[in-house]
Amino acid sequence: MQPVPPEPLDGEARLILVVEDEFLIAMELEAVLEESGFRVLGPAATVQAALQLLDQQRPDAAVLDMNLRNETVVPVARVLRRMMVPFAIASAYGAAAWPRDEALDGAPSLGKPTSTATLIAAMHEILVTDSGRTTDSGQGRSSTLRP
């Protein structure tokens, strides 16, 4: 049984921005999120495409691939932080390998590949709690979610 996404105040399903440059992975993320009761904005395969989507609509949360072709997702993370939209990073690289940027501080790391259970749990967690979490020391780069 799939968990039910947290209910938004307006009664509509939560909108999740998907930023992923690998077509098959993007389609899988979209399908899993939709099957779990979320709506999907995107997927966007580039930073420019993601920023254009964010100019048009504000998502409730986002899942971001760290490396998009020849660029990192940092500009998107910065905009999401300014918009106060929580996000998680789906990357094969651990947080220690991420670019140094405060927009990424505290972002949950889903790993890659990401299991359905981990993805859905992450979306629930970031939609229910504040996106500005850090590790216990307060100096951490990310929060790692476990399936």
Side-chain angles (χ1 to χ4, degrees):
M1 181 174 160
Q2 293 287 340
V4 178
E7 283 296 319
L9 297 175
D10 61 8
E12 281 192 49
R14 297 293 187 127
L15 182 64
I16 309 298
L17 171 66
V18 173
V19 181
E20 170 60 63
D21 63 338
E22 294 185 41
F23 179 77
L24 293 176
I25 294 173
M27 294 299 100
E28 172 91 11
L29 290 170
E30 181 178 28
V32 166
L33 289 166
E34 288 177 346
E35 288 169 8
S36 297
F38 295 99
R39 293 179 302 133
V40 173
L41 179 60
T46 65
V47 167
Q48 181 180 356
L51 294 175
Q52 287 174 343
L53 288 173
L54 290 171
D55 279 343
Q56 299 168 17
Q57 196 164 8
R58 182 190 186 280
D60 296 301
V63 58
L64 311 175
D65 180 12
M66 180 56 68
N67 295 306
L68 303 171
R69 299 186 182 137
N70 296 325
E71 57 189 345
T72 68
V73 78
V74 169
V76 177
R78 288 178 184 151
V79 170
L80 290 169
R81 289 286 187 202
R82 281 195 300 272
M83 295 173 76
M84 298 180 68
V85 173
F87 59 87
I89 304 290
S91 176
Y93 304 99
W98 295 355
R100 298 281 180 217
D101 194 287
E102 67 182 35
L104 301 175
D105 287 349
S109 176
L110 304 180
K112 200 173 186 184
T114 302
S115 73
T116 298
T118 299
L119 174 63
I120 299 308
M123 293 300 100
H124 282 275
E125 184 176 336
I126 66 175
L127 285 166
V128 172
T129 61
D130 179 46
S131 64
R133 296 169 302 181
T134 59
T135 59
D136 293 341
S137 68
Q139 303 298 315
R141 303 251 318 132
S142 73
S143 166
T144 301
L145 297 166
R146 304 275 181 227

